[in-house]
Amino acid sequence: MIEQFSGLNIWKSRKMASEDITKLAESLAKTKVGGGQLSFKGQSLKLNTAEDAEEVIKQIEEFDGLEALRLEGNTVGVEAAKVIAKALEKKSELKRCHWSDMFTGRLRSEIPPALISLGDALITAGAQLLELDLSDNAFGPDGVRGFEVLLKSPACYTLQELKLNNCGMGIGGGKILAAALKECHRKSSAQGKPLALKIFVAGRNRLENDGATALAEAFGIIGTLEEVHMPQNGINHPGITALAQAFAINPLLKVINLNDNTFTEKGAVAMAETLKALRQLEVVNFGDCLVRSKGAVAIADAVKEGLHKLKELNLSFCEIKRDAALTVAEAIEDKAELEKLDLNGNCLGEEGCEQLQEILEGFNMAAVLGSLSDDEGEEEDDDDEEEEEDEEEEEEEQQQLKEREQGEEESLTPKKIIESQDSTPVPSPPVDVATFLAFPSPEKLLRLGPKCSVLIAQQTDTSDVEKVVTALLRISSVFKDEAPVKTAVQETTDALMRKAFTSATFNSDAFVTSLLIHMGLLKSEEKIKAVPSLYGILMTLNHMVQQDYFPKSLAPVLSAFVTKPNRALDSCSFARHMLLQTLHQL
């Protein structure tokens, strides 16, 4: 009996020891302590208060020689950020901050103060960062202000990698970031060790031409870049040309990824000239950039003249015709290190695809050619392409000139107008609701005056679902992150939709169905042209669904369709992310 009891105790002891070891192993696997790195990656921690963050703080404080801190995949509030920051003030050896996706479900207003606390702690600690990754944090332009001081501080004089992918910075955020980088370079240069940034990542940020041009100026000053990733930023040829000029001053560049922007011939030719000067280049990703045939030929010339270390060339989905594609293939004849050539989704036709393969087989390089499964088929040669491109670029330049002129007009104070040579300035033409809805613009909405929301709601027949959807889409199309426009859009939306949803005759289900069709997220038997950009309506919906007038029963429907894979949604990933976060919290 004693032997049985003893044996049972031994068995229990062994089982408990085994369970303890398992728990310890799981804990170590989660935090991945070792090699100077402390990781809480992907643990879905909800750190709201100081109490919530106690375990994180304890591990930070007890970790000697902390060089890398991973906080990805958690959610950190303002109060928790402050106490974590306090623990970091003594971690002078910290070099790598992997802080992507760590504000899930947070209000945008919470992120800047949290970032300020963490940044101040790094400055206090005297850290010398090598890597800062804040990707996939939907902080917008204001969020850049949250780490602006950190970027200008000695903590970032040593920075080599800056990753800000999918943060929704916008033009304003891009300009703030560019100014901070220039200031960091100026200050660090004064101390004899200029900022030597190597890797810059800022895809999906809606930087557009102005944001890209501002950053290009910073890149030209820095001059040490090795990798630049800026896909899906709505950059056209003026911004691409500015980047090309900056890249030429960065001779160490190995990777250029500008996928899904819009080069057209002007941008492609400017970039091709730069490629000729870059001897270390290994990866060129201009996929989905509309370089077209003339641009492809210019790039082919650059490849033929140099780029001896080229490993990957992506010119997919660029409206390149057969002869130009064959010119590209011929250009890679002596590129011994080339591993991949992507010309999928262009206009080669069946015969062109065969010729392309034959050319590469002749070089014994058939293996480098990617799939051609999405080839658009050969188009007839004509002059329409060049004419269309010229018209597009001319319209684009005219629009930019118009915007600059409007900006200059708005910047004039009454005193300056009085002091100008024209004693009686020409008044702006009056705007009414019909004019705004027919040709919407931010300026017209603001010029409707403080009663714009009431006027549009009054003049929209809310018993007609289609008229409400049309009005909502026109209002949201002018959405901007700038406060006056943003406020006007939201107030006007509130007035219109409150009137609609509180009307006994308004069909909410028909409304959301029609809206999804116009957004291109739901198919219709009738041919309806989807709105060109979903950013404005997604940001407007993000505001709208939080209001008391919005039927919460519609939230699951919106969530289901916005979650589905869709290229139009992918190009507005920041706005999509914001809306899904809000819907999830309802």
Side-chain angles (χ1 to χ4, degrees):
M1 187 75 176
I2 294 172
E3 288 178 356
Q4 287 178 342
F5 183 77
S6 176
L8 182 62
N9 280 344
I10 292 169
W11 178 80
K12 283 184 177 179
S13 298
R14 284 177 177 171
K15 184 181 179 185
M16 288 173 67
S18 175
E19 288 174 350
D20 289 342
I21 291 170
T22 301
K23 288 179 180 178
L24 178 60
E26 288 175 355
S27 177
L28 287 171
K30 284 183 179 179
T31 54
K32 298 180 183 176
V33 177
Q37 175 174 281
L38 177 59
S39 176
F40 300 94
K41 181 178 180 179
Q43 293 188 26
S44 300
L45 302 174
K46 295 182 179 178
L47 309 177
N48 297 315
T49 64
E51 186 178 351
D52 295 336
E54 280 181 359
E55 182 60 29
V56 173
I57 295 164
K58 181 183 176 184
Q59 293 199 43
I60 291 173
E61 289 176 340
E62 293 177 354
F63 197 113
D64 292 330
L66 180 63
E67 293 185 5
L69 178 61
R70 307 197 77 107
L71 292 173
E72 309 104 305
N74 299 293
T75 177
V76 182
V78 176
E79 188 180 338
K82 285 181 180 178
V83 291
I84 292 172
K86 194 69 179 173
L88 291 175
E89 287 181 356
K90 297 177 182 178
K91 300 300 175 181
S92 61
E93 295 176 318
L94 189 62
K95 293 180 175 64
R96 298 186 182 276
C97 298
H98 302 281
W99 294 350
S100 63
D101 188 23
M102 70 172 200
F103 295 110
T104 302
R106 297 289 166 189
L107 296 173
R108 243 167 87 169
S109 58
E110 294 181 84
I111 301 177
L115 288 174
I116 289 170
S117 296
L118 294 167
D120 288 347
L122 298 178
I123 296 169
T124 301
Q128 293 186 315
L129 295 183
L130 295 176
E131 180 178 359
L132 177 60
D133 186 355
L134 292 171
S135 298
D136 300 315
N137 289 312
F139 48 59
D142 293 339
V144 186
R145 294 284 188 199
F147 59 93
E148 179 186 13
V149 173
L150 173 63
L151 276 182
K152 294 177 180 179
S153 76
C156 286
Y157 290 178
T158 51
L159 196 63
Q160 294 182 4
E161 301 180 31
L162 180 58
K163 300 173 181 177
L164 299 166
N165 203 56
N166 192 31
C167 292
M169 289 189 292
I171 294 172
K175 289 182 176 180
I176 297 167
L177 175 62
L181 287 172
K182 288 191 288 185
E183 183 68 3
C184 180
H185 187 272
R186 185 187 68 79
K187 288 182 175 180
S188 56
S189 297
Q191 293 192 5
K193 294 182 179 179
L195 172 67
L197 192 66
K198 293 181 179 179
I199 298 174
F200 180 82
V201 181
R204 298 183 176 184
N205 270 291
R206 300 178 292 106
L207 294 169
E208 300 181 16
N209 289 333
D210 289 348
T213 301
L215 284 166
E217 188 177 338
F219 296 161
I221 292 170
I222 293 168
T224 56
L225 289 168
E226 295 181 10
E227 294 186 22
V228 175
H229 302 263
M230 295 174 67
Q232 289 188 18
N233 269 297
I235 310 170
N236 299 324
H237 76 81
I240 296 298
T241 300
L243 287 171
Q245 293 168 349
F247 292 164
I249 313 171
N250 285 263
L252 302 177
L253 269 170
K254 295 179 181 178
V255 178
I256 300 177
N257 176 8
L258 294 174
N259 191 285
D260 200 5
N261 288 291
T262 306
F263 282 37
T264 63
E265 182 188 343
K266 287 184 179 179
V269 169
M271 193 60 71
E273 284 302 310
T274 287
L275 295 183
K276 294 176 183 178
L278 299 176
R279 306 294 181 186
Q280 306 301 317
L281 209 52
E282 297 177 1
V283 177
V284 175
N285 186 344
F286 296 158
D288 206 6
C289 281
L290 201 67
V291 304
R292 290 183 170 148
S293 295
K294 290 182 179 179
V297 170
I299 292 169
D301 289 343
V303 171
K304 193 169 186 177
E305 287 185 26
L307 277 67
H308 297 295
K309 296 185 178 182
L310 190 63
K311 293 181 179 178
E312 180 179 335
L313 176 60
N314 185 344
L315 294 175
S316 59
F317 299 94
C318 279
E319 294 191 7
I320 301 170
K321 295 183 180 178
R322 180 181 62 178
D323 290 347
L326 298 181
T327 302
V328 172
E330 290 167 351
I332 67 165
E333 180 177 3
D334 62 344
K335 306 306 167 204
E337 297 188 32
L338 191 72
E339 298 171 359
K340 184 178 181 180
L341 172 64
D342 193 344
L343 287 168
N344 197 20
N346 287 299
C347 311
L348 281 67
E350 185 176 346
E351 185 179 345
C353 290
E354 291 175 359
Q355 289 177 321
L356 184 64
Q357 290 166 334
E358 287 173 5
I359 289 172
L360 294 175
E361 284 172 1
F363 302 153
N364 197 26
M365 296 178 71
V368 306
L369 183 63
S371 169
L372 297 173
S373 59
D374 294 317
D375 186 71
E376 295 289 338
E378 189 171 9
E379 296 180 359
E380 293 182 9
D381 289 330
D382 53 44
D383 297 329
D384 290 346
E385 176 187 314
E386 184 175 353
E387 290 175 3
E388 287 173 4
E389 182 174 327
D390 290 341
E391 287 172 3
E392 286 172 6
E393 292 177 349
E394 186 176 345
E395 287 173 3
E396 181 186 308
E397 288 167 352
Q398 287 176 348
Q399 179 63 25
Q400 289 171 350
L401 179 61
K402 182 180 177 182
E403 289 173 355
R404 282 198 297 271
E405 288 172 350
Q406 288 171 344
E408 289 167 1
E409 287 172 6
E410 289 169 5
S411 68
L412 285 173
T413 62
K415 183 179 178 182
K416 287 182 180 177
I417 293 173
I418 292 169
E419 291 174 352
S420 67
Q421 291 180 350
D422 296 325
S423 57
T424 54
V426 179
S428 298
V431 174
D432 55 21
V433 171
T435 303
F436 167 73
L437 292 176
F439 303 99
S441 73
E443 294 76 19
K444 287 176 185 173
L445 182 62
L446 294 176
R447 276 161 53 198
L448 280 171
K451 293 185 178 180
C452 63
S453 57
V454 177
L455 291 171
I456 290 177
Q458 285 177 344
Q459 297 184 39
T460 302
D461 180 5
T462 52
S463 65
D464 189 328
V465 165
E466 284 300 314
K467 288 181 179 178
V468 174
V469 170
T470 300
L472 177 63
L473 290 172
R474 297 290 172 84
I475 295 163
S476 64
S477 71
V478 306
F479 180 93
K480 283 187 175 183
D481 288 310
E482 288 83 352
V485 177
K486 181 178 179 180
T487 301
V489 168
Q490 291 177 348
E491 289 178 351
T492 307
T493 298
D494 288 342
L496 173 67
M497 299 314 303
R498 188 180 298 279
K499 178 185 174 184
F501 284 125
T502 54
S503 170
T505 59
F506 189 69
N507 188 327
S508 298
D509 292 334
F511 163 77
V512 77
T513 300
S514 176
L515 180 62
L516 290 168
I517 290 170
H518 282 276
M519 291 172 69
L521 305 182
L522 183 63
K523 290 184 179 179
S524 170
E525 293 180 3
E526 299 178 18
K527 192 172 181 180
I528 295 176
K529 188 177 180 181
V531 293
S533 171
L534 295 181
Y535 179 76
I537 185 60
L538 289 172
M539 292 300 288
T540 303
L541 283 170
N542 183 57
H543 167 79
M544 198 170 95
V545 299
Q546 299 177 61
Q547 309 311 310
D548 57 3
Y549 60 74
F550 183 79
K552 298 300 183 278
S553 60
L554 299 181
V557 181
L558 278 177
S559 183
F561 281 91
V562 176
T563 305
K564 285 184 178 181
N566 184 287
R567 189 169 180 179
L569 287 170
D570 289 342
S571 64
C572 303
S573 55
F574 167 74
R576 178 192 206 175
H577 178 68
M578 290 283 289
L579 177 57
L580 287 174
Q581 276 190 330
T582 303
L583 289 170
H584 181 69
Q585 293 170 15
L586 292 177

